[in-house]
Amino acid sequence: MASWKVRGGRQLIGRVRISGSKNAALAVLAASVLATGPVVLENIPRVQDVEVTLNILHSLGVGGHWEEAGLLRLEVPEKIAGSIPFAEARRIRASSLLLGALLAKKGEAHIPLPGGCNIGLRPLDLHLKGLAAMGAAARIAGGQVLASGHDLHPAKIYLDFPSVGATENLVLAACRVPGQTIIENAAKEPEIVDLASFLNAMGAHVRGAGTDVIRVEGGFELGPARHTVIPDRIEAGTYMLAAVITRGRVTVENVIPLHLQPVTAKIQELGARVEEAGETLTITGPERVRAVNVKTMPYPGFPTDLQSPMLAVLALAAGTGVVVETVFENRYQVAEELQRMGAQIKIEGQTAVVIGQPKLWGAEVRVPELRGGAALLLAALAAEGESRLTGVEGINRGYEDCLAKMQALGAEIVSEVS
Ligand code: EPZ
């Protein structure tokens, strides 16, 4: 278990380059299976979830290596022979995306029920219902998802919830189905748009990504492509909130400000100043944040992945903030750890009432999962005295070079490998 010792009280000052989007990269890696030939992917973050997905692709017979930082060169065979390694695939949620890709590529897919963060049950019912509408026989047995369908047909699918993963899986499956498949109430996240632009670069015909109706004209051969993944809006939002909580001044570089609109608006409500200049945003934290209310929603609402870091910020606000989590059913685990640092948080179902305190105090805390880990890091940076975060592997799953980036901004963090 690796841990970080953090001395709080330092303002974060400086510039930080935001890496490529973990979640866009995971979807694009799954989609690369549909190609045949060389695929070059740029701005891919070197984080554990990407490395795990790469290992899975290698097991399927896809050749791939890092050519330089952020640049992956893949060689995709016409036929996918291998099977997915159970142990690896269980570790991450994104392995569920191989369902649509493998169904489309070889007419069948056996994937272990994916693991991922323990932020909720994370069922796959919407994925399976959509694939069944296209004629796939999909069921869950023995801890695996078994899907087959050699003559899928186009369908009009309405998603009960704009699920990111279900939207991605259905778009991937539809790419190889001749005719027009329509997905209604589709997720509108920027990562969906990025996936569609990669698929279209390979020769697919995906229209409407970013809106709630996506139309896929399937059945075209997909060939080699080169794609640069969008910046990670959640990593960017995390550093923006780090500037706020430490009363610092941080410029995040290589971002798409449009993708951060809901976050920027909320940060201004907290009393911070935000200056936009091209692909950068500069955040100047206030002396003390104002309490605000937050309700997480599918894009373009406030992102659920920044809900935990927001709890940390509100823990030091002048007043009481109310947070409502509408996307995942179990995403307040970090509240217990924040309370060890003096945070006053009451959880009632999907609502967290955060009574802002003048100070937080350093403590020994455990990283529960990826975004909870980010919240604990932000709280430790602002707390009085020293904290120790154990299980920081949970942070490295989704934040590239987090330790180095934070240290470069002035954070006093020392890595301890026990
Ligand atoms: C993606 O997860 C992201 N992960 C998550 O980021 C992100 O929080 C989430 O989208 C929402 O934006 C990746 O892209 C790898 P969903 P995903 O399907 O696709 C329920 C992070 O921290 N649901 O939109 O799993 C589900 O249980 C991670 O980077 C069903 O009920 O999210 C959840 O409550 C965490 N049935 C809600 O929908 C289904 O078939 C949203 O899930 C599918 C989902």
Side-chain angles (χ1 to χ4, degrees):
M1 214 37 127
S3 59
W4 291 345
K5 201 161 60 172
V6 182
R7 170 157 295 285
R10 298 284 299 267
Q11 289 177 306
L12 295 192
I13 308 274
R15 304 176 73 87
V16 59
R17 189 187 187 290
I18 298 304
S19 301
S21 162
K22 161 180 87 79
N23 293 343
L26 296 173
V28 161
L29 281 168
S32 61
V33 159
L34 293 180
T36 302
V39 170
V40 178
L41 301 175
E42 294 183 286
N43 205 28
I44 301 288
R46 195 140 197 182
V47 293
Q48 194 202 45
D49 277 12
V50 166
E51 298 286 10
V52 169
T53 304
L54 260 183
N55 292 342
I56 295 171
L57 292 183
H58 286 154
S59 310
L60 291 169
V62 175
H65 63 277
W66 293 95
E67 201 144 85
E68 58 193 63
L71 194 145
L72 262 183
R73 184 175 289 279
L74 305 178
E75 191 55 47
V76 187
E78 190 176 343
K79 294 252 179 286
I80 292 283
S83 59
I84 293 184
F86 200 98
E88 287 277 5
R90 272 196 57 145
R91 294 168 61 191
I92 58 170
R93 169 80 183 172
S95 48
S96 59
L97 296 182
L98 285 163
L99 201 52
L102 290 176
L103 251 186
K105 179 88 173 185
K106 62 184 223 177
E108 64 175 41
H110 297 172
I111 66 161
L113 267 177
C117 289
N118 41 5
I119 53 177
L121 279 177
R122 307 188 79 175
L124 294 173
D125 56 312
L126 300 179
H127 300 238
L128 302 184
K129 202 167 99 178
L131 293 172
M134 295 166 72
R139 63 192 174 87
I140 291 178
Q144 292 212 42
V145 182
L146 308 169
S148 63
H150 292 277
D151 48 4
L152 299 182
H153 53 73
K156 187 172 180 184
I157 301 159
Y158 183 87
L159 287 177
D160 302 346
F161 180 88
S163 153
V164 170
T167 302
E168 291 168 340
N169 247 333
L170 295 172
V171 166
L172 290 172
C175 278
R176 296 287 285 258
V177 179
Q180 184 180 84
T181 292
I182 300 172
I183 302 162
E184 295 183 322
N185 197 29
K188 299 186 274 197
E189 273 69 5
E191 293 74 27
I192 307 278
V193 178
D194 204 35
L195 172 64
S197 63
F198 173 55
L199 288 165
N200 291 340
M202 289 202 287
H205 290 68
V206 183
R207 299 286 174 269
T211 74
D212 46 14
V213 180
I214 298 179
R215 287 177 170 74
V216 182
E217 283 296 337
F220 298 88
E221 276 310 305
L222 302 185
R226 186 182 190 96
H227 180 74
T228 301
V229 153
I230 55 172
D232 193 316
R233 60 194 171 97
I234 304 301
E235 183 197 20
T238 305
Y239 283 95
M240 291 161 72
L241 289 170
V244 173
I245 202 171
T246 61
R247 305 194 311 280
R249 180 175 165 80
V250 172
T251 297
V252 289
E253 300 175 328
N254 182 42
V255 297
I256 299 175
L258 174 69
H259 293 169
L260 283 153
Q261 256 177 354
V263 182
T264 304
K266 199 49 76 176
I267 284 178
Q268 287 168 323
E269 225 185 298
L270 287 164
R273 196 168 75 229
V274 181
E275 298 152 86
E276 181 181 332
E279 296 179 342
T280 71
L281 289 168
T282 298
I283 312 303
T284 306
E287 202 37 47
R288 188 169 184 199
V289 296
R290 289 195 289 259
V292 299
N293 297 333
V294 179
K295 182 174 185 179
T296 68
M297 296 291 281
Y299 192 86
F302 188 87
T304 173
D305 293 346
L306 287 174
Q307 178 257 96
S308 293
M310 203 63 187
L311 289 184
V313 172
L314 290 174
L316 283 167
T320 296
V322 177
V323 178
V324 180
E325 169 58 53
T326 72
V327 178
F328 287 101
E329 73 270 25
N330 182 27
R331 203 164 200 179
Y332 285 129
Q333 297 162 66
V334 73
E336 188 183 327
E337 295 302 303
L338 286 170
Q339 282 180 329
R340 293 174 194 281
M341 302 174 85
Q344 299 284 319
I345 304 175
K346 282 191 177 51
I347 308 287
E348 299 283 337
Q350 291 311 308
T351 299
V353 177
V354 187
I355 303 154
Q357 303 299 306
K359 286 189 182 306
L360 291 178
W361 306 96
E364 298 261 340
V365 288
R366 266 187 63 68
V367 170
E369 33 76 32
L370 171 59
R371 307 301 176 184
L376 290 172
L377 179 56
L378 264 52
L381 289 170
E384 294 290 313
E386 202 165 80
S387 298
R388 175 175 283 107
L389 277 61
T390 51
V392 293
E393 294 84 346
I395 297 177
N396 292 327
R397 274 190 61 183
Y399 289 96
E400 187 178 45
D401 295 335
C402 182
L403 182 61
K405 288 184 177 183
M406 284 291 184
Q407 288 169 334
L409 290 170
E412 273 192 65
I413 310 178
V414 174
S415 173
E416 302 170 325
V417 181
S418 52

